[in-house]
Amino acid sequence: MPSEPSPAPSDHAGELARTREFFAARAAGWDARFPDDGPRYAAAIAELGLGPGDSVLDAGCGTGRALPLLRAAVGPEGRVLGADVTPEMLDEAAARHPGTATLLLADCARLPLPDASLDAVFAAGLVSHLPDPSRALRELARVTRPGGPLALFHPVGRAVLAARHGRELTPGDLRAEANLRPLLAAAGWRLDHCTDTDERYLALATRA
């Protein structure tokens, strides 16, 4: 009997590979492109309401810009994790912020974490780079305790970001509140608040 052909790589795997390739080439100079974003990160993290001893994940942590701010919020007794699919980004995070967090080379749609093991999740610029947003948001819900917060953040709003990339906003943009609310609800989150101004994008949700 002839053997069956090997299955083609999934779209998910292909998109992850393209994401890695894109960010690998830009990792070393990434933070220098956006030198003034720090205060906006700090303000967004403050709205998570983290406390000493909490366990928090920076999903899609990149070069680790948020990691020291998350560490300051949970204190030395807390746990800070950073997950990213691009090794070069994690190398930058480790070099820039040694000892600040436990870094995981991991797909946010398949995290090596137990159920309900996190108190909160912070995700900057993540949604637009997810091959399957529904799957990733469900996975983030799985690893977050009931009542735990999720912050989907970007240091500029959707209109500014689209203009930066020479695009126009479309009705299908997943980050638009009308689209994001049912997406989050189906994944186990309740959208509590969404801010989309030129200065920042911040969607705050609670694990249902």
Side-chain angles (χ1 to χ4, degrees), residues 51-144:
D54 280 351
S55 180
V56 60
L57 170 69
D58 184 357
C61 66
T63 58
R65 176 167 293 197
L67 297 178
L69 299 167
L70 294 170
R71 170 56 65 195
V74 303
E77 64 272 40
R79 183 171 67 140
V80 179
L81 305 172
D84 205 280
V85 297
T86 305
E88 291 83 356
M89 283 289 195
L90 291 176
D91 288 345
E92 288 291 322
R96 292 170 186 269
H97 311 293
T100 301
T102 299
L103 300 177
L104 307 172
L105 180 61
D107 177 2
C108 287
R110 191 176 181 180
L111 292 165
L113 299 172
D115 293 354
S117 57
L118 300 174
D119 294 298
V121 176
F122 180 76
L126 178 68
V127 173
S128 60
H129 294 289
L130 292 171
D132 187 342
S134 296
R135 178 179 168 186
L137 289 169
R138 286 195 303 271
E139 178 70 348
L140 293 176
R142 179 188 70 79
V143 299
T144 303

Side-chain angles (χ1 to χ4, degrees), residues 156-183:
V156 297
R158 292 187 306 124
V160 172
L161 186 61
R164 181 183 291 174
H165 294 290
R167 299 194 298 261
E168 295 184 358
L169 289 177
T170 64
D173 186 344
L174 290 180
R175 292 163 298 175
E177 184 172 355
N179 300 325
L180 185 63
R181 187 176 296 278
L183 180 69

Side-chain angles (χ1 to χ4, degrees), residues 177-201:
E177 184 172 355
N179 300 325
L180 185 63
R181 187 176 296 278
L183 180 69
L184 285 168
W189 299 95
R190 181 188 71 241
L191 180 62
D192 299 318
H193 180 70
C194 187
T195 300
D196 184 12
T197 66
D198 287 353
E199 288 75 27
R200 73 169 179 172
Y201 176 90

